[in-house]
Amino acid sequence: MSQLAAIFALALGAWAHARGLGALSNELGWSQAPHAIAADQSNADDAVLFDAKTLARIRQHSPRPAPPADPTNRVADDPRAALLGQRLFFEKRWSRNGEISCATCHDPERAFVDAKPLGEGLTKLERHTPGLLDVAYNRWFFWDGRADTLWSQALGPFENDAEMGGTRVGAAALIASDENLRADYTALFGAPPDVGDAARFPRDAKPSDSNAAANALWLAMRADDREEIDRAAANLAKCIAAYERKLITGPSPFDRFVEGLEDGDPEKLGALSPSAQRGLALFVGKANCRLCHSGPSFSDGEFHSIGVAPLAGPPPRDSGRHAGAKLVREAPFNAASRFSDAPDGDVAQRLATVRSGPEMWGEFKTPSLRNVGRTAPYMHQGQFATLEAILHFYSTMEGALAVGHHQETVMQPLKLDETELADLVAFLRSLDGADVAEELKRAPSGG
Ligand code: HEC
Ligand code: HEC
């Protein structure tokens, strides 16, 4: 299409769209919006024309609605809870050595990742630290989905002896003794547990499979005391989740481009380079990435094995969703538990549908692709340093694990050429949204 013709098609499309002339649009092969034209007017051959089917697929990814409500957390959208949660997110005192906070690994200046292949807290972890931007959109949490709510997730790292090594009794003691934390907590939930008697509330007590001493102290506590501590820990976790729910990015270049497809504004259509537009067409078309990276978050929220080998080389030892499915059903703080504010709600009912079969061995959660340009390295062990390396993998399936006879066999080498690989990378880079406000990226000041 010549440059003039492209501009004409665009103008006519916008006009037809504005008039609601669906018939004209259809006749011309447009669904409801004009074709995109290339932003680079110097080379009109670059013009990318999307057919109606492609446009319909593109619209499934944008605009993005507000994140889903979380009825399991009654303070999920309470600003006071978010502020307390933000304090706790940057709080180092509740880690065993007093040096680690959530922000140590989830660095706000790096899209809440640590930029390392494997997370490192008190010791090195087995998995890669995911980013927390837009985390409120996720359905399951952790690479294996062993948490079903954002708040119950937070109880993991804080007590895990490889991460922060804290205890829930220690956290309750911190809240009770720190004037600011205590006041914030009391305003939301009433007075925190009175843990003044350290013999009755041993600071090192927590339930643990790996720490026998801590576990013995915990089991020696009175059942009603344990219950009170558990409730306080759940409350603190719900505040952290309230903070994390605010980490929502603004529209990405891709979102602006889709708006342009709707209203014909050439400036918005210019948000994607011709290369990124071709990458988009591949993503929803021939490369079929949308099969798993679907919807506005570019994730189906489910688990798949795409055959990425462990960082240390085969054989794989991490069973991923196979273990995660069992863990989430049995988790003491899951959405159906007595600590949930909606134990009979939709999230809790989803648990009943969680199966764990042998085919799930080695499956990991499909990550969202929003902000993916900022969160290298990638995959559940940070196996790939760059987006280029990921596309090379999908294109060749070089180094992929042999698929067990129970597992899915959807991944075929895509055999993309150099231009197609570069186009897909350009498209992925257009998914970085506007960063969150500066005041969310540090501990709140003052008391
Ligand atoms: C030592 C590094 C480290 C610390 C400290 C840490 N995390 Fe993480 N975080 C990780 C790693 C690694 C994972 C993935 C673990 C897995 O999937 O098994 C993760 C996963 C998550 C997830 C799941 C995201 C998703 O989409 O699945 C959330 C949310 C999260 N962390 C929040 C927190 C909070 C809140 C804290 C503080 C209470 C915290 N993290 C402390 C390393 C850390
Ligand atoms: C069968 C489902 C499926 C298909 C199809 C698929 N992906 Fe993925 N993708 C996943 C899963 C699952 C992971 C995480 C795997 C892991 O950590 O081992 C992933 C990881 C990624 C990551 C890393 C994200 C991060 O934050 O670590 C990128 C980027 C990505 N995929 C892009 C693509 C592109 C581009 C395509 C099309 C060429 C594609 N994917 C096709 C399921 C899929």
Side-chain angles (χ1 to χ4, degrees):
M1 191 184 293
S2 77
Q3 183 177 329
L4 262 181
I7 290 169
F8 175 68
L10 176 69
L12 183 61
W15 172 80
H17 184 54
R19 294 276 187 302
L21 295 182
L24 175 59
S25 297
N26 287 340
E27 198 177 307
L28 295 174
W30 303 321
S31 50
Q32 283 302 306
H35 299 281
I37 59 157
D40 181 4
Q41 296 295 340
S42 63
N43 185 357
D45 291 344
D46 280 337
V48 178
L49 300 172
F50 299 119
D51 60 21
K53 190 166 94 186
T54 306
L55 282 171
R57 287 178 173 181
I58 292 170
R59 284 200 193 96
Q60 292 171 8
H61 295 287
S62 184
R64 187 175 58 160
D70 183 1
T72 69
N73 176 0
R74 71 186 167 85
V75 298
D77 298 306
D78 184 324
R80 296 169 308 166
L83 203 64
L84 174 53
Q86 187 171 350
R87 267 186 226 298
L88 296 171
F89 190 87
F90 293 92
E91 179 60 75
K92 294 180 174 165
R93 286 176 294 170
W94 64 347
S95 65
R96 190 168 68 218
N97 63 3
E99 290 173 12
I100 304 170
S101 73
C102 309
T104 304
C105 300
H106 300 284
D107 178 355
E109 297 305 327
R110 303 172 188 248
F112 295 85
V113 295
D114 53 11
K116 299 170 184 167
L118 298 174
E120 277 175 55
L122 290 168
T123 60
K124 202 163 197 166
L125 307 179
E126 296 287 330
R127 294 204 184 129
H128 171 65
T129 308
L132 301 184
L133 291 175
D134 300 322
V135 71
Y137 286 91
N138 293 356
R139 182 185 306 166
W140 305 106
F141 302 89
F142 292 120
W143 285 100
D144 56 8
R146 67 186 183 279
D148 60 347
T149 63
L150 190 51
W151 61 272
S152 65
Q153 186 285 331
L155 292 163
F158 133 74
E159 285 192 329
N160 185 328
D161 283 313
E163 295 181 69
M164 298 169 67
T167 68
R168 55 193 77 178
V169 181
L174 177 66
I175 299 295
S177 64
D178 181 289
E179 203 182 312
N180 292 332
L181 294 176
R182 185 187 176 91
D184 288 357
Y185 183 96
T186 305
L188 285 156
F189 307 107
D194 178 2
V195 294
D197 180 351
R200 184 171 149 198
F201 293 95
R203 303 300 187 249
D204 293 338
K206 63 181 167 188
S208 173
D209 293 335
S210 55
N211 187 334
N215 201 46
L217 285 173
W218 175 254
L219 292 177
M221 283 173 60
R222 278 168 40 178
D224 57 332
D225 286 350
R226 289 198 306 250
E227 178 73 12
E228 213 188 340
I229 294 293
D230 278 347
R231 211 155 273 286
N235 288 341
L236 295 177
K238 287 174 183 174
C239 292
I240 293 183
Y243 162 65
E244 291 173 307
R245 283 175 64 78
K246 296 180 78 171
L247 304 176
I248 304 295
T249 57
S252 65
F254 166 69
D255 296 307
R256 279 200 295 284
F257 177 76
V258 176
E259 266 182 46
L261 289 176
E262 302 297 340
D263 66 16
D265 180 342
E267 201 164 305
K268 291 177 184 164
L269 290 168
L272 289 201
S273 68
S275 169
Q277 292 183 32
R278 292 192 302 266
L280 167 59
L282 283 166
F283 189 93
V284 300
K286 188 173 103 177
N288 214 7
C289 312
R290 66 186 285 275
L291 190 65
C292 304
H293 297 283
S294 56
S297 287
F298 294 87
S299 169
D300 57 2
E302 289 304 328
F303 304 84
H304 304 277
S305 171
I306 58 168
V308 184
L311 203 55
R317 288 179 302 141
D318 190 337
S319 80
R321 186 58 173 167
H322 186 256
K326 187 167 182 288
L327 288 169
V328 72
R329 281 197 312 258
E330 295 169 0
F333 291 91
N334 70 21
S337 73
R338 64 187 182 283
F339 304 105
S340 163
D341 295 312
D344 302 314
D346 291 350
V347 183
Q349 296 198 356
R350 217 169 52 200
L351 278 171
T353 68
V354 171
R355 299 167 303 109
S356 46
E359 75 283 1
M360 288 173 176
W361 210 97
E363 285 186 355
F364 294 94
K365 190 175 69 178
T366 310
S368 162
L369 298 180
R370 290 205 175 249
N371 310 300
V372 78
R374 301 191 180 122
T375 57
Y378 303 103
M379 306 291 177
H380 68 279
Q381 286 201 312
Q383 286 99 328
F384 293 116
T386 61
L387 293 174
E388 284 79 4
I390 294 180
L391 267 306
H392 179 79
F393 173 78
Y394 279 122
S395 186
T396 60
M397 294 310 287
E398 258 168 47
L401 294 167
V403 175
H405 65 281
H406 288 305
Q407 290 164 286
E408 54 184 349
T409 50
V410 284
M411 303 310 287
Q412 298 296 328
L414 291 170
K415 301 197 175 99
L416 302 169
D417 67 30
E418 289 305 312
T419 312
E420 290 171 320
L421 292 174
D423 290 346
L424 271 165
V425 170
F427 167 63
L428 291 177
R429 291 196 186 285
S430 80
L431 300 177
D432 289 0
D435 202 2
V436 296
E438 282 303 313
E439 66 259 26
L440 289 172
K441 291 161 65 174
R442 52 176 184 256
S445 53

